[in-house]
């Protein structure tokens, strides 16, 4: 080794090409020639052996390189033979190491290999691509504002969905509103004007919100998606978006299609024309930060957790603001708007009475039900059964509480005066319930413990929920979705996991594991089974997504289609055919992400270190800090496994012991095994190689 490195300066000597060089890569010894390591110019090894990079040596004098020896083996083989033999190493790991060593020929070959596996036209589910729109040059002219002016103060944290209460779950803080200039993003970086912040759809229309403007598209049967409206450039970043494309009751003329955007306490409303164009209806103020914006028929509803609700009616053209109890959840069914409040009460408003009652300056907000324990109603879902008599519908309401309880209440149409009756109670969550969904066949609840999902099958008799046997447990899993402290680009409202879909059909969750991911996983909301996964066709990170139920065409045999809409960081919009994916259920892997897929996703972000080795119960903070992650294994299969005893580490992983981050660290300590496909038998190591990691069990279904 004396010839490899002069003792004077510790730098490898400039010996002959056939000189033998000894390397210690991550604890494993390799020996090769100088010519093998240096035939690629300007590489890591050329710099190392020429003295441009300082070296570190082990006790034997071998040059120590602190990298993965398993990935280094195929790289060294490429330097020897100029042929690529991955040897079971994952392509992305090999590409990452080749880039580190500066091996340009190998990098190009690996990149070409990845490009051949991926198509810019997407897979069979890819249905369409809308390029980024032109950034509007014209600014919006501000005029006198309708409604009360903002009283001042700073916006509070916003909720990400209609069942996400404030200070719970994974909501992020949006940009602060200043008086004269647009604020920077919470990360301190400038806003990304071309990034898709929000996407929403209704029937055959789509609205897409960027930082300071929004656009609307309409699906035409023959020509496909067409841009029909682009707003002027606004002064504030858009935080909330709502769209209504068809009102079933009555003709409203030009107001049957509307789009609204909220910024702080300010709401802008436009009327859309079917053939293109639009006009501004007005600007309204709620007086407090708008945290939910949606339409119920032709009524525009804005709510805030402070307890204030604002309503604009297209017929009367009246904007009404009224105080209620602090609002923590909401849902709408038919003409009814239900509000869950922090005092444990559920209030309802019949929006059909708005045009009459607004003249009395009263929205007629009535208390419908109060929780027996007076826990805050943090999630709410209403299901109207088909009419069984002339009296009306059987009303079923499922709600979740701040203590983790799930309750179902029902009201028979012939006993409306007596109010809803408590039907069932479940206490399976130890964290506040953030989402709940009651559909024809399933009851689904999600709590703040990293989106832990519990589901039940619902038994019905003549369309009404039945007590024989009633709701029975179905599945338990998690929809792991990490977020940066304040969401991607300062807005996390466009990353709601769901569930999405009609209540008389199978619903789905949309899972984006890390904030900068370009891949989404679609999973059944009832069992957690994977429906499909989609990856952006241009490689751009996905910043917003939603699911759209589209009407069928007029052609014979056509049926409604379900699409996944993904907005990208570069401003484009992609569409994916979920109807085809649902028809192919059973052909894709069951369960959520595999360990290999999870590790691949987690490599795209950095996990903050845990404050202690064992985390405590989740804290109901407004943002899901990466330090508060907990166990992500909760296999819904109740079958026991039989076999010979396994190592303690593997047995602990089988039981799901330890925190989520600790298990990830255990996978990392196990080397590249999570990325390597199963092999018939482990190959014995030689020399100073690291000992073999414990064999990994095969999971029937993971719950990531």
């Amino acid at each position: 080794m004396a010839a490899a490195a002069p003792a004077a300066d510790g730098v490898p000597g400039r010996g002959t090409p056939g000189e033998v060089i000894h390397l210690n890569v991550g604890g494993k010894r390799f020996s090769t020639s100088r010519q093998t390591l240096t035939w690629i110019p300007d590489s890591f090894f050329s710099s190392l052996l020429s003295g441009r990079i300082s070296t570190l040596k082990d006790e034997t004098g071998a040059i120590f390189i602190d990298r993965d020896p398993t990935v280094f083996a195929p790289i060294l083989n490429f330097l020897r033979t100029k042929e690529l033999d991955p040897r079971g190493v994952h392509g992305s790991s090999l590409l990452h190491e080749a880039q580190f060593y500066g091996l340009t020929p190998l990098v190009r070959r690996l990149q070409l290999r990845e490009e051949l596996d991926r198509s810019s036209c997407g897979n069979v589910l890819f249905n369409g691509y809308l390029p980024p729109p032109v950034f509007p040059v014209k600014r919006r002219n501000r005029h006198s504002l309708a409604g009360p002016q903002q009283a001042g103060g700073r916006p509070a944290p916003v909720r990400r969905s209609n069942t996400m209460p404030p200070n719970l779950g994974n909501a992020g803080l949006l940009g602060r509103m200043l008086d004269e200039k647009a604020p920077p993003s919470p990360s301190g970086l400038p806003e990304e004007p071309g990034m898709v912040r929000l996407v929403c759809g209704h029937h055959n229309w789509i609205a897409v919100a960027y930082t300071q403007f929004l656009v609307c598209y309409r699906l035409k049967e023959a020509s496909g998606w067409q841009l029909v409206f682009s707003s002027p450039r606004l002064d504030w970043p858009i935080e909330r978006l709502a769209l209504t494309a068809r009102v079933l009751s009555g003709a409203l003329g030009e107001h049957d299609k509307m789009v609204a955007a909220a910024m702080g306490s300010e709401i802008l409303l436009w009327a859309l024309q079917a053939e293109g164009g639009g006009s501004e209806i007005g600007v309204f103020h709620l007086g407090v930060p708008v945290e939910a914006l949606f339409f119920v028929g032709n009524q525009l509803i804005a709510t805030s957790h402070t307890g204030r609700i604002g309503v604009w009616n297209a017929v009367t053209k009246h904007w009404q603001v009224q105080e209620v109890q602090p609002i923590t959840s909401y849902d709408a069914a038919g003409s009814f708007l239900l509000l869950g409040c922090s005092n444990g009460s559920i209030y309802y408003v019949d929006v059909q009475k708005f045009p009459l009652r607004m003249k009395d300056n009263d929205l007629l907000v009535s208390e419908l039900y109060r929780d027996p324990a007076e826990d805050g109603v943090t999630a709410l879902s209403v299901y109207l059964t088909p009419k069984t008599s002339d009296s009306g519908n059987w009303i079923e309401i499922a709600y979740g509480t701040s203590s983790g309880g799930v309750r179902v209440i029902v009201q028979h149409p012939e006993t409306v005066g007596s109010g809803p009756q408590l039907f069932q109670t479940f206490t399976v969550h130890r964290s506040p319930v953030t989402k709940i969904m009651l559909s024809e066949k399933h009851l689904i609840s999600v709590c703040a413990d990293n989106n832990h999902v519990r589901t039940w099958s619902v038994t019905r008799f003549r369309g009404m929920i039945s007590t024989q046997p009633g709701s029975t447990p179905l599945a338990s899993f998690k929809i792991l979705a990490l977020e940066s402290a304040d969401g991607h680009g300062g807005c996390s409202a466009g990353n709601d996991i769901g569930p999405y879909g009609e209540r008389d059909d199978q619903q789905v969750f949309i899972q984006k594991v890390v904030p900068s991911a370009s891949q989404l996983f679609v999973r059944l909301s009832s069992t957690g089974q994977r429906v499909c996964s989609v990856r952006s066709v241009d490689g751009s990170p996905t910043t917003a997504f939603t699911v759209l139920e589209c009407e069928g065409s007029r052609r014979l045999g056509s049926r409604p289609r379900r699409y996944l809409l993904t907005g990208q960081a570069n401003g484009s919009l992609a569409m994916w055919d979920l109807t085809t994916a649902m028809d192919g259920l059973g052909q894709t892997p069951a369960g959520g992400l595999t360990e290999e897929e999870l590790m691949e996703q987690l490599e795209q972000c950095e996990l903050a270190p845990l404050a202690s080795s064992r985390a405590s119960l989740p804290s109901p903070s407004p943002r899901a800090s990466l330090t508060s992650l907990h166990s992500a294994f909760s296999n819904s299969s109740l079958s026991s496994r039989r076999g010979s005893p396994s190592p303690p580490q593997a047995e602990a992983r089988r039981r799901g012991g330890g925190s989520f981050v600790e298990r990830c660290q255990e996978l990392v300590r196990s080397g590249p095994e999570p990325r390597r496909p199963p092999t018939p038998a482990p190959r014995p190591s030689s020399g100073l190689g690291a000992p073999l990691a414990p064999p990994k069990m095969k999971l029937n279904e993971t719950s990531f």
Side-chain angles (χ1 to χ4, degrees), residues 573-645:
L573 187 72
M575 304 171 191
W576 311 85
D577 187 357
L578 289 189
T579 300
T580 300
M582 297 289 286
D583 292 342
L585 271 179
Q587 302 176 9
T588 54
L593 280 71
T594 63
E595 292 184 3
E596 292 82 358
E597 290 172 327
L598 179 67
M599 294 302 297
E600 181 181 359
Q601 294 290 315
L602 293 180
E603 283 182 356
Q604 303 177 46
C605 70
E606 294 185 2
L607 295 178
L610 287 172
S612 60
S613 61
R614 182 73 61 177
S616 60
L617 288 178
S619 173
S621 63
R623 298 185 291 257
S625 170
L626 302 185
T627 63
S628 64
L629 295 175
H630 289 56
S631 170
F633 276 107
S634 68
N635 197 335
S636 59
S637 173
L638 301 180
S639 60
S640 60
R641 297 182 176 89
R642 300 177 182 177
S644 58

Side-chain angles (χ1 to χ4, degrees), residues 341-352:
C341 297
S342 60
N343 64 350
S345 293
I346 298 176
Y347 296 90
Y348 78 95
V349 183
D350 188 349
V351 298
Q352 286 185 345

